[in-house]
Each structure stands twice: as structure tokens, then as C-alpha cells.
Amino acid sequence: MSFSTDYFFQCLVSGAKYIHITLFIGLLPTFVGITFGCVIALARIRNVPFLSKLLEVLVSVQVGVPLMVNLLIFYLVYLVLLPSVKYGAMATALLALSLNRIAYQSEIIRGAFLSIPKIQYEAGYSIGLSYPQVLRRIAIPQMIPVAIPPLTNNIVGGVKNTSIVMVVGIVDVLNGSAIPCADTYSYVEGYVAAALIYWGISAVLEFSLHKIEVFFNKGRNVK
């Protein structure tokens, strides 16, 4: 098996055309996950009657079931119930990825909140602050630096995991890189090209998130 440099560059260019698709289905669920993850984490920390137990079960299901299985289940439901819906495959992928991201990120955020000593909350209450004010002025500023490192791993891993959307027919970086391979049935160049693109995306994300981490760690004794 020979490796063609010219063919590799064709695959690289073809895969690069779909970077925006990979970023879209990788980052949108991240924002959804952080938003709803905060709500779930706080509901469980506050031990809201019935709701906290329900959320605990739902998170356990999402964490315990492989993402691929969830995606295939949602896609089959879409094919049976809503086959005529436009962009159904994309919506299905976003739903599956978002639910997965919500579950994992809610656990990260919950752990970050639990790392804050209870005395910090009590100090806020003692000076007349309400719970939302304690969150905004005391808890969240301390929680963010703790949550960023594991969130970085989750976000980067989530973007790389978007390659599974190929099973529902969405063309992303992986599928895009393999398009030229259909001419010769030699896929090694396509997969190497896809790997290089994913590495580049991950490097940019890690660098950007590291800068955010440094910003939030200003004023703390963290190097």
C-alpha cells in the first residue's frame, strides 16, 4: 500500500471545506450543555424535591449509554415519526450531542460548585445577600476557574466525537476528507487528512480555552 502525497492534499482540501459543519455540531451542543448543565447542577445541589432525583436518573442514563447508541435511537425515531422534516438528520445529531454534553457538563459544573466551602455561602447570607446574589458575587467567580480545565477536555473531546455523525449521513470533516477516496478506494490518505484537520481544530480550541483559563485565574494563587 503506497501513500500518495498529491492524493493526500486533495483529501485535505476536501475535508477542510467541512470544518464549519464540524465546529457547528461540536460547539453548539457545548453552549447548550453549559447552559442547561448549570441549571441541572444547581437543582441537584439545592436538592429540589423530586426534580433533583429525576435529573440524577436522566444524567445517569445519558452518561451510561454510549453516544452512538443514543444517536442511532434518535435517528430511527426521526425516520419513523418525522421522515419529511427538513434537516432532520442534523437536528437529530444536535439533539443527541446536546443531551450527552448536558449530562457530562452538569457533572463537571456540579463538582466545581461543590468544591466551594459552605462557609463562603454562609458568609454571603450573613451580610444579607440572597441566594442568586451569593451565586453571582461569590460562588460563580470561584467555580469558573475550577470548571474550566475539565470543561476544556470535554469540549475538545466533544468536537472530535462529532465524527460519529457520519452514521446518519451528515458530511463533516471525516466524511469530507474521504470523498476523494471513492475514486481509488484507498482511504488511508483521507483518514490521515482528517486526523490532521482534527488535530488542528483541537490545538486551536485548547489554546483559546487556556487563554480563558488564565484570564479567570488572574488574582488567584494559581500558575
Side-chain angles (χ1 to χ4, degrees), residues 211-223:
K211 290 297 183 182
I212 295 174
E213 181 182 355
V214 170
F215 173 80
F216 280 105
N217 276 323
K218 286 181 178 179
R220 301 175 76 232
N221 294 322
V222 178
K223 294 184 179 179

Side-chain angles (χ1 to χ4, degrees), residues 88-189:
M90 178 64 75
T92 299
L94 289 173
L95 176 62
L97 291 169
S98 295
L99 291 176
N100 180 267
R101 213 65 58 80
I102 288 171
Y104 279 97
Q105 291 177 353
S106 70
E107 289 292 270
I108 292 172
I109 294 168
R110 187 169 71 93
F113 272 118
L114 290 175
S115 70
I116 302 171
K118 289 184 178 180
I119 194 172
Q120 298 276 357
Y121 293 88
E122 294 170 357
Y125 298 143
S126 68
I127 60 174
L129 296 180
S130 63
Y131 181 67
Q133 290 174 322
V134 169
L135 285 179
R136 181 169 58 87
R137 298 184 181 183
I138 299 175
I140 292 178
Q142 295 183 67
M143 177 275 292
I144 291 177
V146 176
I148 286 179
L151 281 176
T152 296
N153 292 332
N154 183 266
I155 293 169
V156 173
V159 171
K160 291 185 291 186
N161 285 340
T162 58
S163 59
I164 69 169
V165 299
M166 65 182 298
V167 301
V168 296
I170 297 175
V171 182
D172 67 332
V173 164
L174 179 59
N175 274 344
S177 298
I179 288 176
C181 302
D183 297 332
T184 63
Y185 297 99
S186 175
Y187 284 86
V188 63
E189 292 89 351

